């Protein structure tokens, strides 16, 4: 993870799933926007500034297959997955595949900030 800030948070999934993330308008990680799916995200020109991907919109049956399909991208980039009520075994499989954190929906802005701070090594605290 780069030491420099600011970083951007980019959502991958349906727009309506990122209401909490859209509140990150100041601080070390700020909301940049979202794209509908991983294929669209990967088809764009690469970002030049550091970013974290907040992944949503995958059901459990297709989730592991999708993570396996994009394994190189997931291993090389900071990914947080937001998912509703994941079983513990699924979370373990997700983390084994390189996703850095799994946050259970619904979540709070404080929980998202905590995940981002941990991912960034605690550097660059948010204002109160």
């Amino acid at each position: 993870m780069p030491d420099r800030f600011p970083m951007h948070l980019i959502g991958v999934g349906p727009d309506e799933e990122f209401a909490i993330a859209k509140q990150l308008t100041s601080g070390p990680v700020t909301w940049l926007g979202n794209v509908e799916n991983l294929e669209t995200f990967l088809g764009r020109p690469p970002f030049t500034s550091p970013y974290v991907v907040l992944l949503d919109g995958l059901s459990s049956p297709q989730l592991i297959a999708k993570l396996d399909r994009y394994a190189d991208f997931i291993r090389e980039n900071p990914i947080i997955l937001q998912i509703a009520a994941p079983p513990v075994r699924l979370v373990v499989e997700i983390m084994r595949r390189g996703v850095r954190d799994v946050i259970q929906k619904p979540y709070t802005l404080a929980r998202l900030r905590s995940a981002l701070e941990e991912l960034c090594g605690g550097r660059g605290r948010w204002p109160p």
Side-chain angles (χ1 to χ4, degrees), residues 55-76:
L55 183 59
D56 192 296
L58 301 174
S59 63
S60 294
Q62 44 178 209
L63 177 59
I64 296 301
K66 180 79 76 165
L67 295 176
D68 288 345
R69 181 174 175 196
Y70 296 106
D72 291 340
F73 171 78
I74 290 167
R75 274 192 302 273
E76 296 170 7

Side-chain angles (χ1 to χ4, degrees), residues 35-81:
V35 295
E36 279 298 311
N37 55 52
L38 204 47
E39 293 79 5
T40 301
F41 178 79
L42 294 173
R44 293 177 156 216
F47 288 95
T48 57
S49 62
Y51 64 90
V52 175
V53 173
L54 183 59
L55 183 59
D56 192 296
L58 301 174
S59 63
S60 294
Q62 44 178 209
L63 177 59
I64 296 301
K66 180 79 76 165
L67 295 176
D68 288 345
R69 181 174 175 196
Y70 296 106
D72 291 340
F73 171 78
I74 290 167
R75 274 192 302 273
E76 296 170 7
N77 294 282
I79 311 286
I80 296 174
L81 177 75

Side-chain angles (χ1 to χ4, degrees), residues 5-127:
F5 284 103
M7 293 184 78
H8 294 289
L9 181 62
I10 303 164
V12 175
D15 184 63
E16 63 272 8
E17 297 298 330
F18 300 108
I20 297 295
K22 289 177 183 179
Q23 296 176 41
L24 293 174
T25 57
S26 65
V29 182
T30 57
W31 178 251
L32 184 63
N34 74 290
V35 295
E36 279 298 311
N37 55 52
L38 204 47
E39 293 79 5
T40 301
F41 178 79
L42 294 173
R44 293 177 156 216
F47 288 95
T48 57
S49 62
Y51 64 90
V52 175
V53 173
L54 183 59
L55 183 59
D56 192 296
L58 301 174
S59 63
S60 294
Q62 44 178 209
L63 177 59
I64 296 301
K66 180 79 76 165
L67 295 176
D68 288 345
R69 181 174 175 196
Y70 296 106
D72 291 340
F73 171 78
I74 290 167
R75 274 192 302 273
E76 296 170 7
N77 294 282
I79 311 286
I80 296 174
L81 177 75
Q82 59 181 36
I83 188 171
V88 173
R89 284 186 172 168
L90 180 60
V91 172
V92 169
E93 286 303 313
I94 291 166
M95 300 290 280
R96 278 187 182 160
R97 283 166 168 79
V99 171
R100 305 285 177 86
D101 201 349
V102 176
I103 54 178
Q104 183 172 328
K105 296 188 306 186
Y107 57 86
T108 64
L109 183 58
R111 171 63 180 102
L112 179 57
R113 283 179 169 175
S114 173
L116 291 166
E117 274 190 14
E118 186 174 316
L119 188 66
C120 298
R123 296 181 297 274
R125 299 267 190 228
W126 269 273

